[in-house]
Amino acid sequence: VDCSGIAILKVPLSIPVDVKTLQIAYTQIREVDDSSFQNLSVLIILRIERNELSQISPNTLLNLSTIRYLSLGSNKLQELPPDLFKSQGKLETLILSNNQPSQIGRA
């Protein structure tokens, strides 16, 4: 599912639960909260790139245990919550480039 370039402020609720790839780029999303991806338990690739993203809630990725590729590149992230990646045992690729992190929590 590609939600790129649309004028959205939040992750759409209408994303199919069986989606394996989700791209959200060039939007006005500033925050992802604990419920943003709660029903996407088979997601493998998540790309949230080139947005206004500056906040990620601590349990945002909790139900994404199958995720293998996560890109948060080119956002406005300065800090990531401790334990943000605690449920991502299958994560192979993490991209955080082009942000301004001052603190990254332990995995």
Side-chain angles (χ1 to χ4, degrees):
V1 173
D2 190 349
C3 298
S4 299
I6 58 177
I8 56 174
L9 300 173
K10 297 183 86 172
V11 175
L13 297 174
S14 59
I15 297 170
V17 296
D18 61 347
V19 69
K20 293 195 170 50
T21 300
L22 176 59
Q23 179 164 309
I24 302 171
Y26 300 102
T27 70
Q28 298 300 309
I29 291 178
R30 295 175 189 262
E31 178 180 359
V32 287
D33 61 30
D34 293 349
S35 64
S36 294
F37 308 110
Q38 70 180 359
N39 295 321
L40 305 180
S41 61
V42 296
L43 195 64
I44 295 172
I45 298 170
L46 177 58
R47 299 176 69 139
I48 307 174
E49 305 164 326
R50 302 183 193 288
N51 298 291
E52 300 293 316
L53 185 64
S54 61
Q55 292 283 351
I56 298 180
S57 295
N59 293 317
T60 297
L61 305 176
L62 188 62
N63 294 322
L64 301 181
S65 60
T66 58
I67 198 157
R68 293 190 178 159
Y69 180 98
L70 174 61
S71 176
L72 299 170
S74 299
N75 285 292
K76 296 184 176 181
L77 294 168
Q78 293 183 350
E79 185 175 340
L80 296 176
D83 297 325
L84 179 64
F85 307 109
K86 67 183 173 187
S87 299
Q88 283 59 58
K90 295 183 179 181
L91 186 64
E92 297 171 359
T93 304
L94 174 63
I95 298 173
L96 297 171
S97 58
N98 296 313
N99 284 287
Q100 292 121 15
S102 60
Q103 180 175 352
I104 297 175
R106 294 185 329 179

